[in-house]
């Protein structure tokens, strides 16, 4: 009788162990092809304090210039999610129609501009990477290869002629010493085919670590909250001043190359929600 009870308990324990192992195996199934959604929030501010109010919020640069923005827009593309093993999921890489977005402060809701990404593989992600602007590889697909986004960019004032290409970052507003009263306009971007035109490439890729893992599942849609510190515009790695020589500039000249290099460092992930 004792042997029978012992064998019965052993049988039950074995079944429980087998069931648990199967569940763990299912959870970690490398063949799991289920997908979920992910949201990225962009909040523009000065010195990591968000919610710039156009035509109102004034900042003083490292060189002592007061400045504000009447227009604050930039293009984000080639979003890539990097998991705990270093594997990358590229979201519509070099496909502007599906994978490029315009962050326009005029569209912000409570200071935040939202990007919603669908069809993200179930995984735990530790980093996010994205491009500031449009890559040459995407641009050289031609106008027909990105007609939908090109039309959006035109409507948003984020393009020149097709030969000129896209505006990557549009900053407009006023500046001055005692008060911000002189208008400025800095529009960065590649000028068409940069190889043929012998121009610098202003497209930049930014990689950010996530302070908390973004866990994408069929039930969980993580939200990655990114702060953009626009103080980097004039007070970044290179201190810049607006003058009559550079306050109305478009393209990829030396001043706008410096602006681009400064702005590349403006992003950081503030927090991640797994909801």
């Amino acid at each position: 009788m004792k042997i029978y009870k012992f064998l019965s308990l052993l049988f039950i324990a074995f079944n429980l162990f087998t069931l648990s192992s199967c569940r763990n195996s299912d959870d970690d199934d490398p063949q799991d092809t289920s997908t979920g959604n992910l949201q990225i929030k962009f909040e523009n501010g000065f010195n990591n304090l968000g919610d710039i109010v156009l035509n109102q919020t004034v900042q003083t640069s490292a060189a002592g210039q007061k400045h504000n923005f009447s227009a604050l827009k930039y293009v984000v593309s080639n979003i890539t999610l990097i998991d705990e093993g270093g594997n990358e999921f590229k979201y519509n890489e070099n496909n502007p129609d599906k994978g490029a977005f315009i962050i326009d402060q005029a569209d912000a809701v409570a200071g935040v501009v939202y990007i919603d990404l669908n069809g993200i593989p179930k995984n735990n992600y530790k980093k996010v990477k994205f491009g500031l602007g449009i890559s040459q590889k995407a641009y050289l697909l031609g106008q027909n290869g990105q007609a939908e986004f090109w039309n959006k960019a035109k409507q948003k004032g984020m393009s020149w002629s097709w030969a000129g290409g896209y505006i990557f970052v549009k900053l407009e507003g006023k500046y001055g010493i005692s008060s911000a009263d002189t208008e400025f306009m800095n529009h960065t971007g590649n000028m068409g085919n940069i190889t043929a035109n012998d121009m610098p490439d202003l497209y930049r890729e930014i990689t950010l670590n996530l302070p908390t893992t973004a866990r994408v599942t069929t039930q969980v849609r993580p939200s990655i909250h990114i702060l953009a510190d626009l103080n980097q515009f004039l007070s970044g790695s290179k201190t810049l001043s607006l003058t009559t020589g550079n306050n109305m500039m478009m393209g990829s000249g030396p001043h706008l190359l410096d602006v681009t290099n400064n702005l590349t460092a403006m992003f950081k992930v503030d927090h991640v929600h797994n909801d």
Side-chain angles (χ1 to χ4, degrees), residues 27 32 34-39 81 83 89 117-126 210 213-224 272-275:
D27 290 342
D32 188 350
S34 60
T35 62
N37 303 319
L38 182 140
Q39 186 178 76
L81 299 169
D83 69 16
F89 169 71
L117 308 181
N118 303 316
I120 307 300
K122 175 185 175 183
N123 210 333
N124 297 325
Y125 297 101
K126 293 290 292 181
L210 305 185
T213 301
R215 301 188 299 274
V216 176
T217 71
T218 54
Q219 291 82 31
V220 177
R221 184 205 64 176
S223 178
I224 299 172
V272 175
H273 287 296
N274 286 294
D275 300 326

PDB file of all heavy atoms in Angstrom, residues 27 32 34-39 81 83 89 117-126 210 213-224 272-275:
ATOM      1  N   ASP A  27       6.452  29.522 -23.509  1.00  0.00           N
ATOM      2  CA  ASP A  27       6.723  30.946 -23.299  1.00  0.00           C
ATOM      3  C   ASP A  27       7.983  31.370 -24.027  1.00  0.00           C
ATOM      4  O   ASP A  27       8.088  32.501 -24.497  1.00  0.00           O
ATOM      5  CB  ASP A  27       6.874  31.244 -21.792  1.00  0.00           C
ATOM      6  CG  ASP A  27       5.535  31.132 -21.067  1.00  0.00           C
ATOM      7  OD1 ASP A  27       4.494  31.164 -21.759  1.00  0.00           O
ATOM      8  OD2 ASP A  27       5.548  30.996 -19.826  1.00  0.00           O
ATOM      9  N   ASP A  32       7.820  31.233 -31.981  1.00  0.00           N
ATOM     10  CA  ASP A  32       6.644  32.073 -31.760  1.00  0.00           C
ATOM     11  C   ASP A  32       6.708  33.269 -32.710  1.00  0.00           C
ATOM     12  O   ASP A  32       7.591  34.105 -32.621  1.00  0.00           O
ATOM     13  CB  ASP A  32       6.619  32.543 -30.300  1.00  0.00           C
ATOM     14  CG  ASP A  32       5.319  33.263 -29.959  1.00  0.00           C
ATOM     15  OD1 ASP A  32       4.535  33.560 -30.877  1.00  0.00           O
ATOM     16  OD2 ASP A  32       5.094  33.530 -28.763  1.00  0.00           O
ATOM     17  N   SER A  34       4.105  35.446 -33.108  1.00  0.00           N
ATOM     18  CA  SER A  34       3.059  36.405 -32.772  1.00  0.00           C
ATOM     19  C   SER A  34       3.635  37.816 -32.712  1.00  0.00           C
ATOM     20  O   SER A  34       4.833  38.017 -32.489  1.00  0.00           O
ATOM     21  CB  SER A  34       2.400  36.045 -31.439  1.00  0.00           C
ATOM     22  OG  SER A  34       3.350  36.043 -30.387  1.00  0.00           O
ATOM     23  N   THR A  35       2.788  38.793 -32.956  1.00  0.00           N
ATOM     24  CA  THR A  35       3.227  40.187 -32.988  1.00  0.00           C
ATOM     25  C   THR A  35       2.343  41.037 -32.078  1.00  0.00           C
ATOM     26  O   THR A  35       1.260  40.628 -31.665  1.00  0.00           O
ATOM     27  CB  THR A  35       3.171  40.761 -34.413  1.00  0.00           C
ATOM     28  OG1 THR A  35       1.809  40.737 -34.884  1.00  0.00           O
ATOM     29  CG2 THR A  35       4.056  39.972 -35.363  1.00  0.00           C
ATOM     30  N   GLY A  36       2.847  42.226 -31.796  1.00  0.00           N
ATOM     31  CA  GLY A  36       2.095  43.187 -31.001  1.00  0.00           C
ATOM     32  C   GLY A  36       2.350  44.592 -31.509  1.00  0.00           C
ATOM     33  O   GLY A  36       2.843  44.784 -32.626  1.00  0.00           O
ATOM     34  N   ASN A  37       2.031  45.544 -30.676  1.00  0.00           N
ATOM     35  CA  ASN A  37       2.183  46.946 -31.050  1.00  0.00           C
ATOM     36  C   ASN A  37       3.112  47.656 -30.073  1.00  0.00           C
ATOM     37  O   ASN A  37       3.335  47.193 -28.954  1.00  0.00           O
ATOM     38  CB  ASN A  37       0.824  47.642 -31.067  1.00  0.00           C
ATOM     39  CG  ASN A  37      -0.161  46.960 -31.994  1.00  0.00           C
ATOM     40  OD1 ASN A  37       0.203  46.548 -33.089  1.00  0.00           O
ATOM     41  ND2 ASN A  37      -1.406  46.820 -31.554  1.00  0.00           N
ATOM     42  N   LEU A  38       3.642  48.777 -30.513  1.00  0.00           N
ATOM     43  CA  LEU A  38       4.539  49.576 -29.675  1.00  0.00           C
ATOM     44  C   LEU A  38       4.322  51.044 -30.010  1.00  0.00           C
ATOM     45  O   LEU A  38       4.088  51.401 -31.170  1.00  0.00           O
ATOM     46  CB  LEU A  38       5.995  49.175 -29.904  1.00  0.00           C
ATOM     47  CG  LEU A  38       7.058  49.885 -29.059  1.00  0.00           C
ATOM     48  CD1 LEU A  38       8.141  48.902 -28.621  1.00  0.00           C
ATOM     49  CD2 LEU A  38       7.710  51.021 -29.853  1.00  0.00           C
ATOM     50  N   GLN A  39       4.399  51.870 -28.999  1.00  0.00           N
ATOM     51  CA  GLN A  39       4.218  53.309 -29.182  1.00  0.00           C
ATOM     52  C   GLN A  39       5.483  54.053 -28.780  1.00  0.00           C
ATOM     53  O   GLN A  39       6.129  53.705 -27.793  1.00  0.00           O
ATOM     54  CB  GLN A  39       3.046  53.797 -28.332  1.00  0.00           C
ATOM     55  CG  GLN A  39       2.673  55.260 -28.546  1.00  0.00           C
ATOM     56  CD  GLN A  39       1.465  55.645 -27.707  1.00  0.00           C
ATOM     57  OE1 GLN A  39       1.583  55.834 -26.490  1.00  0.00           O
ATOM     58  NE2 GLN A  39       0.297  55.741 -28.331  1.00  0.00           N
ATOM     59  N   LEU A  81      14.342  48.190 -33.418  1.00  0.00           N
ATOM     60  CA  LEU A  81      14.267  47.730 -32.032  1.00  0.00           C
ATOM     61  C   LEU A  81      15.295  46.628 -31.828  1.00  0.00           C
ATOM     62  O   LEU A  81      15.401  45.710 -32.648  1.00  0.00           O
ATOM     63  CB  LEU A  81      12.869  47.221 -31.715  1.00  0.00           C
ATOM     64  CG  LEU A  81      11.749  48.263 -31.853  1.00  0.00           C
ATOM     65  CD1 LEU A  81      10.393  47.594 -31.769  1.00  0.00           C
ATOM     66  CD2 LEU A  81      11.880  49.355 -30.802  1.00  0.00           C
ATOM     67  N   ASP A  83      16.818  43.673 -29.308  1.00  0.00           N
ATOM     68  CA  ASP A  83      16.408  42.861 -28.170  1.00  0.00           C
ATOM     69  C   ASP A  83      17.578  42.557 -27.235  1.00  0.00           C
ATOM     70  O   ASP A  83      18.703  43.040 -27.427  1.00  0.00           O
ATOM     71  CB  ASP A  83      15.710  41.571 -28.636  1.00  0.00           C
ATOM     72  CG  ASP A  83      16.657  40.581 -29.320  1.00  0.00           C
ATOM     73  OD1 ASP A  83      17.890  40.708 -29.185  1.00  0.00           O
ATOM     74  OD2 ASP A  83      16.154  39.658 -29.992  1.00  0.00           O
ATOM     75  N   PHE A  89      15.188  44.278 -35.002  1.00  0.00           N
ATOM     76  CA  PHE A  89      13.992  44.272 -35.837  1.00  0.00           C
ATOM     77  C   PHE A  89      13.876  45.642 -36.491  1.00  0.00           C
ATOM     78  O   PHE A  89      13.722  46.649 -35.810  1.00  0.00           O
ATOM     79  CB  PHE A  89      12.728  43.977 -35.023  1.00  0.00           C
ATOM     80  CG  PHE A  89      11.462  44.223 -35.819  1.00  0.00           C
ATOM     81  CD1 PHE A  89      11.114  43.369 -36.867  1.00  0.00           C
ATOM     82  CD2 PHE A  89      10.654  45.318 -35.543  1.00  0.00           C
ATOM     83  CE1 PHE A  89       9.969  43.608 -37.623  1.00  0.00           C
ATOM     84  CE2 PHE A  89       9.505  45.551 -36.293  1.00  0.00           C
ATOM     85  CZ  PHE A  89       9.167  44.698 -37.330  1.00  0.00           C
ATOM     86  N   LEU A 117       3.455  51.973 -33.814  1.00  0.00           N
ATOM     87  CA  LEU A 117       4.045  50.959 -34.676  1.00  0.00           C
ATOM     88  C   LEU A 117       3.286  49.649 -34.497  1.00  0.00           C
ATOM     89  O   LEU A 117       3.064  49.205 -33.367  1.00  0.00           O
ATOM     90  CB  LEU A 117       5.522  50.751 -34.327  1.00  0.00           C
ATOM     91  CG  LEU A 117       6.405  52.004 -34.268  1.00  0.00           C
ATOM     92  CD1 LEU A 117       7.843  51.608 -33.938  1.00  0.00           C
ATOM     93  CD2 LEU A 117       6.354  52.777 -35.571  1.00  0.00           C
ATOM     94  N   ASN A 118       2.935  49.025 -35.619  1.00  0.00           N
ATOM     95  CA  ASN A 118       2.174  47.781 -35.587  1.00  0.00           C
ATOM     96  C   ASN A 118       3.003  46.631 -36.147  1.00  0.00           C
ATOM     97  O   ASN A 118       3.958  46.839 -36.891  1.00  0.00           O
ATOM     98  CB  ASN A 118       0.886  47.929 -36.398  1.00  0.00           C
ATOM     99  CG  ASN A 118       0.016  49.077 -35.900  1.00  0.00           C
ATOM    100  OD1 ASN A 118      -0.174  49.238 -34.699  1.00  0.00           O
ATOM    101  ND2 ASN A 118      -0.506  49.877 -36.810  1.00  0.00           N
ATOM    102  N   GLY A 119       2.609  45.414 -35.783  1.00  0.00           N
ATOM    103  CA  GLY A 119       3.293  44.233 -36.316  1.00  0.00           C
ATOM    104  C   GLY A 119       4.689  44.034 -35.774  1.00  0.00           C
ATOM    105  O   GLY A 119       5.575  43.541 -36.476  1.00  0.00           O
ATOM    106  N   ILE A 120       4.903  44.396 -34.512  1.00  0.00           N
ATOM    107  CA  ILE A 120       6.213  44.237 -33.877  1.00  0.00           C
ATOM    108  C   ILE A 120       6.334  42.825 -33.312  1.00  0.00           C
ATOM    109  O   ILE A 120       5.464  42.389 -32.548  1.00  0.00           O
ATOM    110  CB  ILE A 120       6.403  45.264 -32.736  1.00  0.00           C
ATOM    111  CG1 ILE A 120       6.129  46.681 -33.236  1.00  0.00           C
ATOM    112  CG2 ILE A 120       7.806  45.151 -32.154  1.00  0.00           C
ATOM    113  CD1 ILE A 120       7.025  47.141 -34.350  1.00  0.00           C
ATOM    114  N   PRO A 121       7.388  42.079 -33.654  1.00  0.00           N
ATOM    115  CA  PRO A 121       7.528  40.715 -33.124  1.00  0.00           C
ATOM    116  C   PRO A 121       7.552  40.700 -31.601  1.00  0.00           C
ATOM    117  O   PRO A 121       8.172  41.552 -30.961  1.00  0.00           O
ATOM    118  CB  PRO A 121       8.876  40.254 -33.698  1.00  0.00           C
ATOM    119  CG  PRO A 121       9.077  41.088 -34.917  1.00  0.00           C
ATOM    120  CD  PRO A 121       8.464  42.422 -34.593  1.00  0.00           C
ATOM    121  N   LYS A 122       6.866  39.721 -31.029  1.00  0.00           N
ATOM    122  CA  LYS A 122       6.878  39.536 -29.581  1.00  0.00           C
ATOM    123  C   LYS A 122       8.321  39.359 -29.115  1.00  0.00           C
ATOM    124  O   LYS A 122       9.035  38.493 -29.601  1.00  0.00           O
ATOM    125  CB  LYS A 122       6.052  38.302 -29.221  1.00  0.00           C
ATOM    126  CG  LYS A 122       6.079  37.927 -27.749  1.00  0.00           C
ATOM    127  CD  LYS A 122       5.327  36.631 -27.517  1.00  0.00           C
ATOM    128  CE  LYS A 122       5.445  36.166 -26.082  1.00  0.00           C
ATOM    129  NZ  LYS A 122       4.763  34.865 -25.855  1.00  0.00           N
ATOM    130  N   ASN A 123       8.749  40.206 -28.172  1.00  0.00           N
ATOM    131  CA  ASN A 123      10.133  40.139 -27.715  1.00  0.00           C
ATOM    132  C   ASN A 123      10.335  41.127 -26.585  1.00  0.00           C
ATOM    133  O   ASN A 123       9.463  41.964 -26.291  1.00  0.00           O
ATOM    134  CB  ASN A 123      11.106  40.455 -28.865  1.00  0.00           C
ATOM    135  CG  ASN A 123      12.433  39.729 -28.716  1.00  0.00           C
ATOM    136  OD1 ASN A 123      12.857  39.407 -27.610  1.00  0.00           O
ATOM    137  ND2 ASN A 123      13.099  39.470 -29.836  1.00  0.00           N
ATOM    138  N   ASN A 124      11.505  41.035 -25.950  1.00  0.00           N
ATOM    139  CA  ASN A 124      11.924  42.008 -24.944  1.00  0.00           C
ATOM    140  C   ASN A 124      13.014  42.879 -25.565  1.00  0.00           C
ATOM    141  O   ASN A 124      14.076  42.372 -25.933  1.00  0.00           O
ATOM    142  CB  ASN A 124      12.456  41.302 -23.693  1.00  0.00           C
ATOM    143  CG  ASN A 124      11.395  40.463 -23.011  1.00  0.00           C
ATOM    144  OD1 ASN A 124      10.221  40.818 -22.998  1.00  0.00           O
ATOM    145  ND2 ASN A 124      11.796  39.343 -22.437  1.00  0.00           N
ATOM    146  N   TYR A 125      12.750  44.175 -25.661  1.00  0.00           N
ATOM    147  CA  TYR A 125      13.659  45.085 -26.358  1.00  0.00           C
ATOM    148  C   TYR A 125      14.384  45.991 -25.366  1.00  0.00           C
ATOM    149  O   TYR A 125      13.784  46.532 -24.429  1.00  0.00           O
ATOM    150  CB  TYR A 125      12.893  45.912 -27.385  1.00  0.00           C
ATOM    151  CG  TYR A 125      12.283  45.060 -28.481  1.00  0.00           C
ATOM    152  CD1 TYR A 125      10.931  44.723 -28.460  1.00  0.00           C
ATOM    153  CD2 TYR A 125      13.066  44.560 -29.515  1.00  0.00           C
ATOM    154  CE1 TYR A 125      10.368  43.922 -29.451  1.00  0.00           C
ATOM    155  CE2 TYR A 125      12.524  43.759 -30.514  1.00  0.00           C
ATOM    156  CZ  TYR A 125      11.175  43.448 -30.471  1.00  0.00           C
ATOM    157  OH  TYR A 125      10.631  42.655 -31.455  1.00  0.00           O
ATOM    158  N   LYS A 126      15.699  46.138 -25.610  1.00  0.00           N
ATOM    159  CA  LYS A 126      16.555  46.902 -24.690  1.00  0.00           C
ATOM    160  C   LYS A 126      17.046  48.223 -25.278  1.00  0.00           C
ATOM    161  O   LYS A 126      17.513  49.094 -24.555  1.00  0.00           O
ATOM    162  CB  LYS A 126      17.775  46.056 -24.305  1.00  0.00           C
ATOM    163  CG  LYS A 126      17.442  44.843 -23.461  1.00  0.00           C
ATOM    164  CD  LYS A 126      17.009  45.222 -22.062  1.00  0.00           C
ATOM    165  CE  LYS A 126      18.154  45.806 -21.250  1.00  0.00           C
ATOM    166  NZ  LYS A 126      17.736  46.154 -19.877  1.00  0.00           N
ATOM    167  N   LEU A 210      17.235  51.702 -23.364  1.00  0.00           N
ATOM    168  CA  LEU A 210      15.984  51.819 -22.629  1.00  0.00           C
ATOM    169  C   LEU A 210      16.240  51.559 -21.150  1.00  0.00           C
ATOM    170  O   LEU A 210      16.863  50.549 -20.805  1.00  0.00           O
ATOM    171  CB  LEU A 210      14.951  50.820 -23.154  1.00  0.00           C
ATOM    172  CG  LEU A 210      14.643  50.861 -24.649  1.00  0.00           C
ATOM    173  CD1 LEU A 210      13.502  49.885 -24.976  1.00  0.00           C
ATOM    174  CD2 LEU A 210      14.290  52.257 -25.112  1.00  0.00           C
ATOM    175  N   THR A 213      13.139  47.395 -19.892  1.00  0.00           N
ATOM    176  CA  THR A 213      12.879  46.596 -21.086  1.00  0.00           C
ATOM    177  C   THR A 213      11.462  46.824 -21.599  1.00  0.00           C
ATOM    178  O   THR A 213      10.497  46.822 -20.826  1.00  0.00           O
ATOM    179  CB  THR A 213      13.060  45.102 -20.778  1.00  0.00           C
ATOM    180  OG1 THR A 213      14.390  44.887 -20.322  1.00  0.00           O
ATOM    181  CG2 THR A 213      12.817  44.253 -22.009  1.00  0.00           C
ATOM    182  N   ALA A 214      11.337  47.045 -22.903  1.00  0.00           N
ATOM    183  CA  ALA A 214      10.021  47.147 -23.544  1.00  0.00           C
ATOM    184  C   ALA A 214       9.584  45.744 -23.941  1.00  0.00           C
ATOM    185  O   ALA A 214      10.193  45.123 -24.809  1.00  0.00           O
ATOM    186  CB  ALA A 214      10.091  48.053 -24.760  1.00  0.00           C
ATOM    187  N   ARG A 215       8.531  45.232 -23.287  1.00  0.00           N
ATOM    188  CA  ARG A 215       8.107  43.855 -23.479  1.00  0.00           C
ATOM    189  C   ARG A 215       6.883  43.810 -24.400  1.00  0.00           C
ATOM    190  O   ARG A 215       5.757  44.056 -23.961  1.00  0.00           O
ATOM    191  CB  ARG A 215       7.795  43.201 -22.133  1.00  0.00           C
ATOM    192  CG  ARG A 215       9.000  43.191 -21.173  1.00  0.00           C
ATOM    193  CD  ARG A 215       8.713  42.369 -19.924  1.00  0.00           C
ATOM    194  NE  ARG A 215       7.590  42.890 -19.150  1.00  0.00           N
ATOM    195  CZ  ARG A 215       7.700  43.841 -18.240  1.00  0.00           C
ATOM    196  NH1 ARG A 215       8.875  44.392 -17.991  1.00  0.00           N
ATOM    197  NH2 ARG A 215       6.638  44.246 -17.571  1.00  0.00           N
ATOM    198  N   VAL A 216       7.123  43.512 -25.642  1.00  0.00           N
ATOM    199  CA  VAL A 216       6.038  43.456 -26.620  1.00  0.00           C
ATOM    200  C   VAL A 216       5.409  42.068 -26.612  1.00  0.00           C
ATOM    201  O   VAL A 216       6.102  41.063 -26.766  1.00  0.00           O
ATOM    202  CB  VAL A 216       6.550  43.781 -28.038  1.00  0.00           C
ATOM    203  CG1 VAL A 216       5.429  43.610 -29.067  1.00  0.00           C
ATOM    204  CG2 VAL A 216       7.105  45.198 -28.104  1.00  0.00           C
ATOM    205  N   THR A 217       4.096  42.014 -26.398  1.00  0.00           N
ATOM    206  CA  THR A 217       3.345  40.765 -26.508  1.00  0.00           C
ATOM    207  C   THR A 217       2.045  41.073 -27.247  1.00  0.00           C
ATOM    208  O   THR A 217       1.778  42.221 -27.609  1.00  0.00           O
ATOM    209  CB  THR A 217       3.012  40.161 -25.123  1.00  0.00           C
ATOM    210  OG1 THR A 217       2.013  40.975 -24.476  1.00  0.00           O
ATOM    211  CG2 THR A 217       4.256  40.080 -24.238  1.00  0.00           C
ATOM    212  N   THR A 218       1.226  40.042 -27.423  1.00  0.00           N
ATOM    213  CA  THR A 218      -0.068  40.274 -28.065  1.00  0.00           C
ATOM    214  C   THR A 218      -0.999  41.055 -27.149  1.00  0.00           C
ATOM    215  O   THR A 218      -1.956  41.675 -27.618  1.00  0.00           O
ATOM    216  CB  THR A 218      -0.729  38.933 -28.435  1.00  0.00           C
ATOM    217  OG1 THR A 218      -0.793  38.104 -27.261  1.00  0.00           O
ATOM    218  CG2 THR A 218       0.074  38.213 -29.507  1.00  0.00           C
ATOM    219  N   GLN A 219      -0.712  41.048 -25.841  1.00  0.00           N
ATOM    220  CA  GLN A 219      -1.559  41.773 -24.884  1.00  0.00           C
ATOM    221  C   GLN A 219      -0.933  43.076 -24.395  1.00  0.00           C
ATOM    222  O   GLN A 219      -1.642  43.973 -23.947  1.00  0.00           O
ATOM    223  CB  GLN A 219      -1.852  40.903 -23.652  1.00  0.00           C
ATOM    224  CG  GLN A 219      -2.758  39.717 -23.897  1.00  0.00           C
ATOM    225  CD  GLN A 219      -2.027  38.528 -24.472  1.00  0.00           C
ATOM    226  OE1 GLN A 219      -0.844  38.334 -24.191  1.00  0.00           O
ATOM    227  NE2 GLN A 219      -2.710  37.732 -25.288  1.00  0.00           N
ATOM    228  N   VAL A 220       0.395  43.192 -24.459  1.00  0.00           N
ATOM    229  CA  VAL A 220       1.091  44.349 -23.901  1.00  0.00           C
ATOM    230  C   VAL A 220       1.626  45.238 -25.020  1.00  0.00           C
ATOM    231  O   VAL A 220       2.342  44.767 -25.906  1.00  0.00           O
ATOM    232  CB  VAL A 220       2.258  43.913 -22.985  1.00  0.00           C
ATOM    233  CG1 VAL A 220       3.020  45.126 -22.473  1.00  0.00           C
ATOM    234  CG2 VAL A 220       1.732  43.076 -21.824  1.00  0.00           C
ATOM    235  N   ARG A 221       1.269  46.515 -24.980  1.00  0.00           N
ATOM    236  CA  ARG A 221       1.786  47.491 -25.935  1.00  0.00           C
ATOM    237  C   ARG A 221       2.671  48.478 -25.166  1.00  0.00           C
ATOM    238  O   ARG A 221       2.187  49.402 -24.521  1.00  0.00           O
ATOM    239  CB  ARG A 221       0.659  48.258 -26.616  1.00  0.00           C
ATOM    240  CG  ARG A 221       1.159  49.229 -27.687  1.00  0.00           C
ATOM    241  CD  ARG A 221       0.199  50.376 -27.936  1.00  0.00           C
ATOM    242  NE  ARG A 221       0.046  51.216 -26.750  1.00  0.00           N
ATOM    243  CZ  ARG A 221      -0.683  52.344 -26.735  1.00  0.00           C
ATOM    244  NH1 ARG A 221      -1.333  52.713 -27.807  1.00  0.00           N
ATOM    245  NH2 ARG A 221      -0.780  53.061 -25.628  1.00  0.00           N
ATOM    246  N   PRO A 222       3.992  48.296 -25.219  1.00  0.00           N
ATOM    247  CA  PRO A 222       4.880  49.222 -24.501  1.00  0.00           C
ATOM    248  C   PRO A 222       4.836  50.625 -25.114  1.00  0.00           C
ATOM    249  O   PRO A 222       4.512  50.802 -26.289  1.00  0.00           O
ATOM    250  CB  PRO A 222       6.264  48.591 -24.674  1.00  0.00           C
ATOM    251  CG  PRO A 222       6.015  47.192 -25.127  1.00  0.00           C
ATOM    252  CD  PRO A 222       4.742  47.230 -25.881  1.00  0.00           C
ATOM    253  N   SER A 223       5.198  51.580 -24.296  1.00  0.00           N
ATOM    254  CA  SER A 223       5.297  52.972 -24.737  1.00  0.00           C
ATOM    255  C   SER A 223       6.664  53.509 -24.331  1.00  0.00           C
ATOM    256  O   SER A 223       7.009  53.487 -23.151  1.00  0.00           O
ATOM    257  CB  SER A 223       4.186  53.809 -24.103  1.00  0.00           C
ATOM    258  OG  SER A 223       4.290  55.158 -24.489  1.00  0.00           O
ATOM    259  N   ILE A 224       7.439  53.946 -25.316  1.00  0.00           N
ATOM    260  CA  ILE A 224       8.773  54.481 -25.073  1.00  0.00           C
ATOM    261  C   ILE A 224       8.695  56.003 -25.145  1.00  0.00           C
ATOM    262  O   ILE A 224       8.337  56.570 -26.181  1.00  0.00           O
ATOM    263  CB  ILE A 224       9.775  53.956 -26.112  1.00  0.00           C
ATOM    264  CG1 ILE A 224       9.870  52.430 -26.044  1.00  0.00           C
ATOM    265  CG2 ILE A 224      11.159  54.577 -25.903  1.00  0.00           C
ATOM    266  CD1 ILE A 224      10.699  51.815 -27.165  1.00  0.00           C
ATOM    267  N   VAL A 272       9.917  53.992 -19.870  1.00  0.00           N
ATOM    268  CA  VAL A 272       9.164  53.035 -20.682  1.00  0.00           C
ATOM    269  C   VAL A 272       7.987  52.545 -19.862  1.00  0.00           C
ATOM    270  O   VAL A 272       8.128  52.181 -18.696  1.00  0.00           O
ATOM    271  CB  VAL A 272      10.040  51.826 -21.090  1.00  0.00           C
ATOM    272  CG1 VAL A 272       9.210  50.781 -21.835  1.00  0.00           C
ATOM    273  CG2 VAL A 272      11.208  52.280 -21.941  1.00  0.00           C
ATOM    274  N   HIS A 273       6.794  52.553 -20.465  1.00  0.00           N
ATOM    275  CA  HIS A 273       5.611  51.946 -19.854  1.00  0.00           C
ATOM    276  C   HIS A 273       5.320  50.625 -20.544  1.00  0.00           C
ATOM    277  O   HIS A 273       5.307  50.561 -21.768  1.00  0.00           O
ATOM    278  CB  HIS A 273       4.392  52.865 -20.005  1.00  0.00           C
ATOM    279  CG  HIS A 273       4.413  54.079 -19.130  1.00  0.00           C
ATOM    280  ND1 HIS A 273       4.386  54.015 -17.759  1.00  0.00           N
ATOM    281  CD2 HIS A 273       4.464  55.403 -19.442  1.00  0.00           C
ATOM    282  CE1 HIS A 273       4.419  55.251 -17.262  1.00  0.00           C
ATOM    283  NE2 HIS A 273       4.474  56.116 -18.262  1.00  0.00           N
ATOM    284  N   ASN A 274       5.069  49.593 -19.770  1.00  0.00           N
ATOM    285  CA  ASN A 274       4.616  48.321 -20.311  1.00  0.00           C
ATOM    286  C   ASN A 274       3.161  48.114 -19.892  1.00  0.00           C
ATOM    287  O   ASN A 274       2.874  47.573 -18.829  1.00  0.00           O
ATOM    288  CB  ASN A 274       5.491  47.175 -19.802  1.00  0.00           C
ATOM    289  CG  ASN A 274       6.854  47.155 -20.467  1.00  0.00           C
ATOM    290  OD1 ASN A 274       6.969  46.914 -21.659  1.00  0.00           O
ATOM    291  ND2 ASN A 274       7.896  47.448 -19.688  1.00  0.00           N
ATOM    292  N   ASP A 275       2.233  48.612 -20.723  1.00  0.00           N
ATOM    293  CA  ASP A 275       0.799  48.586 -20.385  1.00  0.00           C
ATOM    294  C   ASP A 275       0.066  47.567 -21.242  1.00  0.00           C
ATOM    295  O   ASP A 275       0.438  47.347 -22.388  1.00  0.00           O
ATOM    296  CB  ASP A 275       0.179  49.963 -20.581  1.00  0.00           C
ATOM    297  CG  ASP A 275       0.836  51.025 -19.691  1.00  0.00           C
ATOM    298  OD1 ASP A 275       1.230  50.673 -18.571  1.00  0.00           O
ATOM    299  OD2 ASP A 275       0.921  52.182 -20.133  1.00  0.00           O
TER     300      ASP A 275
END
